Every structure is written in C-alpha cells, then in structure tokens.
Amino acid sequence: LWLEEAAVPYYLFREKKFQVVLASIKGGEIPIDQSSLSGDFYVAAAKKFIEDEEAQKKINNSIALSDIDFTTVDAIYLSGGHGVCADYVGNETLKNAVETVYKAGKIVAADCHGPIGLAQCVKPDGTPLVAGKKVTGFTNSEEAAVGMTDKVPFLIETKFKEQGAEFTAGPDWNPNICVDGNLYTGQNPQSSDELSLAVAKALA
C-alpha cells in the first residue's frame, strides 16, 4: 500500500462523517510500502495515520473483502502501491465487489495503481468496465520513470486503451483525475486529494 493513497481519503471521509472500512483481499495486516514513508512522499496525512492509534488498529486488522456485503456500500475506493499489482489482478472477490458497486450505480474509485483492479471488471452488458469511459491511472511514463515497466503484470495505460477507454495522461507526478458517471480514477499519489474530494462531494 502506498500510504498517502489510503490516508488522504481515510481522513477526508471521516471528516465528512462517512463510515470508513479499511479492507484488503485476505484481511489482517496491510503492508505499507516503505518508500511512501520517506522524503516528500511522506505527506502530512500519512504521518498522521502512522501516529494515529485507531488508524493503526484498522490497518493491522483490516476486514477481508469477502466479509463485506457490497450491496450495502455507497462507494469502493481502490488505493494503490505496486503491491496491489499482485493482490488485485485476477482476484475474483475484488472483481465481484467492483462490479456489484458499479451495477448499483454507486461510486467506484481507484487511484494510481488501484485502477489495475478495474481491468478485469465488466459492465452488466459484458463489455470492459472502462470501455468508452474517460479514465486515468499510473501512466506508462511514470512506470518507466520508476523502472517498473517490466515488473508489473501489465501497463494500466496500455491495457485501458486496448479495452476501449479514453485514457487521459497528465504530466508525471501531477494531480489528474477523471470522473465519468460513477467511475472515478486518479493518476498517481499526487491525485489523492482531488480524487477524495470528488468522491466526498458526490457522496454528500
């Protein structure tokens, strides 16, 4: 988990008095990418999260996706970090969760590498979830910049374009979000604030 991408929405949603559940594929402790705890990447929300006893209990005892009834939620928010490339891709529980929320007209949001979990999802008509949609995610340029092009299962930008999405790539490491219907996507960690605010506004 890239901490900024979870900490920013966590605190904004709690500030708005939303009920926030920290979930993961298997439940239990969610490992944090140590690179997100250093230098300029260690943003204020991330520092607050690390020092927050309640937040630490939640991230160390996350709820398993399979234990959540996704017909009862108003939004699902997929945070990123390179670790999710292993966790999200090919996971049937996540696929069903996203498709259930999307079909109900509720919000599906994903930031940075979070959108990699959308590639396996389909609309009720069987077409790719992102087909015909304006979306973004960690770009090919950003993946190359961190030297991970050959290490990820597939490139989000390339995959989404293949699936018929209208992919919008902003400048590297700059905030960029796309909202198309009930699908909300962010490009990178720097997009956490804008994406969270967009989701919160829609839920208000």
Side-chain angles (χ1 to χ4, degrees), residues 116-140:
I116 204 166
L118 305 178
Q120 61 203 347
C121 302
V122 296
K123 300 187 185 82
D125 65 5
T127 59
L129 183 69
V130 300
K133 294 285 188 180
K134 292 181 179 178
V135 294
T136 190
F138 206 60
T139 64
N140 291 358

Side-chain angles (χ1 to χ4, degrees), residues 2 10 43 70 73 76 86 89 94 109 117 126 154 166 175 178 197:
W2 193 267
Y10 175 80
V43 298
F70 280 94
V73 307
I76 183 171
V89 176
L94 179 64
F154 52 81
E166 185 181 329
C178 289
L197 284 167

Side-chain angles (χ1 to χ4, degrees), residues 130-136 157 160-169 178 180 185:
V130 300
K133 294 285 188 180
K134 292 181 179 178
V135 294
T136 190
E157 178 178 346
F160 280 2
K161 287 177 178 177
E162 289 172 352
Q163 292 183 323
E166 185 181 329
F167 190 93
T168 302
C178 289
D180 194 330
T185 49

Side-chain angles (χ1 to χ4, degrees), residues 35 37-43 47:
S35 296
L37 304 180
S38 62
D40 292 339
F41 296 125
Y42 197 24
V43 298
K47 292 175 184 174

Side-chain angles (χ1 to χ4, degrees), residues 9-20:
Y10 175 80
Y11 285 116
L12 178 64
F13 296 163
R14 283 175 60 87
E15 180 185 309
K16 300 293 184 182
K17 307 301 182 187
F18 301 156
Q19 181 182 355
V20 181

